[in-house]
Amino acid sequence: MKNHSSHRAMKFTESVIREMTRICLKHQGVNLAQGFPDFPAPLEIKEAALRAIQADLNQYAITWGEPNLRHAIAEKFAWYNGVTIDPEAEITVCCGSTEAMISSLMAIVNSGEEVIVFEPFYENYGPDAILCDAKPRFITLHEPDWHFDEQELTQAFTNKTKAIIINTPNNPTGKVFSREELQFIADLCLKWGVIAVTDEIYEHILYDGAKHISIASLPGMRDQTITINSISKTYSLTGWRVGWAIAPASLTGSIRKVHDFLTVGAPHPLQEAAAAALRIERSYYQTLVKGYEERRNFLSRALDEAGFRIYRPHGAYYIMTDVGHFGFSDDVAFALHLVEKFGVATVPGSSFYSRSSLGATKIRFCFPKKKETLEQAAEKLERFKRDREK
Ligand SMILES: Cc1ncc(COP(=O)(O)O)c(C=O)c1O
């Protein structure tokens, strides 16, 4: 039969992360692949959603977001990120940061323009670049500390560069970009007139004294940055699909147009509840971090004891590991072995790189899970270790 798929759709594969979740369900395993919490979201946010539904907020909200939510986003961006914005003109509420990212890129990138992407990258950025017909230019983050080479980055900026995608704290590496690194990137953006598109959805999940810095807060960058965020990770609400893009008014007009014709808007009652989330008591964030730090330490120990080489994350909720010494043909073979034989689903490292070979010895684990879930995973990893020692 004739293939009716577009060239565009054929240039990328199905999400490996979501595929691993399906394989995990088949083997009734522990899902340490897809980064979503298996513990409840805060009660007061859920109650706010119930109240919004009971108040009959059932119809389309304003396409670029409920005013109450946009005001809550602006208030929080001022206190946490140190940048004052106009909620009327500089925010577009979207269906998660996934839609905020693709709407933003479609709004600014012309066919053939280059977008700089650090790799390993969150797997959506590759297809995002293809969908907006951009040419991705990859810059390696070098292990073990995931630094970039300043000279390599400097050479990547040319007059074809339209944007650079930053993700801090970073998925999958757990890297938190330092002020010096962000300043280096900002200087290049200012020199070449390049837009920084920064995905900051893990901004509260930080360890070992790491500090989150928004590139929009650096001198001169407010008007050259699109900051992407959502309620998914900070408030454990990945299924609600509420996110946003913060951008200068000159870019927001285009982002709103693309967003409007892609999705019209995010769920209205959940936008109201998202406003309540953003105004939650500030002590919530300390409790959140404490919980994640315990989970990180627990899983790191279990992986270490099972023989994995781990890269200790300073932010986000993933642990990147190296499994080259286990002697498998590649990362996919290893990930399938681990889920099919021992019931632990992970993500093969190659899905975070432009060329599979670069991730062929890496495996990513995630840990936004209940203690019991991580304990189950630890038992399965222990079985994996015993099996290897046989
Ligand atoms: C870096 C990063 N950005 C975006 C997303 C998706 O976020 P959302 O649920 O807001 O679409 C994820 C999810 O894992 C992520 O890790």
Side-chain angles (χ1 to χ4, degrees), residues 17-18 34-36 95-101 122 124-125 167 169-171 199-202 228-233 237-239 241-243 317-318 364:
I17 299 178
R18 289 170 293 271
Q34 199 173 359
F36 61 84
C95 295
S97 55
T98 300
E99 195 237 320
M101 177 61 80
Y122 169 54
N124 280 29
Y125 303 153
N167 171 217
N170 184 262
N171 171 10
D199 177 341
E200 302 187 0
I201 69 168
Y202 298 102
I228 308 281
N229 213 323
S230 84
I231 58 170
S232 289
K233 310 291 174 171
L237 295 165
T238 59
R241 314 310 303 136
V242 181
Y317 52 47
Y318 305 94
R364 189 199 75 176

Side-chain angles (χ1 to χ4, degrees), residues 295-334:
R295 294 179 186 102
R296 178 197 67 162
N297 294 346
F298 181 86
L299 185 62
S300 298
R301 226 176 6 256
L303 287 169
D304 191 41
E305 281 166 11
F308 288 76
R309 298 201 178 117
I310 66 169
Y311 299 102
R312 200 172 167 79
H314 298 297
Y317 52 47
Y318 305 94
I319 301 177
M320 192 68 142
T321 63
D322 196 292
V323 297
H325 55 294
F326 291 143
F328 284 75
S329 55
D330 63 20
D331 56 322
V332 176
F334 180 83

Side-chain angles (χ1 to χ4, degrees), residues 53 75 81 183 223 239 251 278 292 295 336 351 359-360 369:
I53 290 171
E75 283 160 28
N81 310 77
Q183 190 60 61
D223 290 334
L251 298 178
L278 291 166
Y292 275 122
R295 294 179 186 102
L336 288 175
S351 50
K369 304 294 168 193

Side-chain angles (χ1 to χ4, degrees), residues 115-128:
V115 174
I116 298 175
V117 180
F118 290 105
E119 70 177 347
F121 49 78
Y122 169 54
E123 68 161 6
N124 280 29
Y125 303 153
D128 282 347

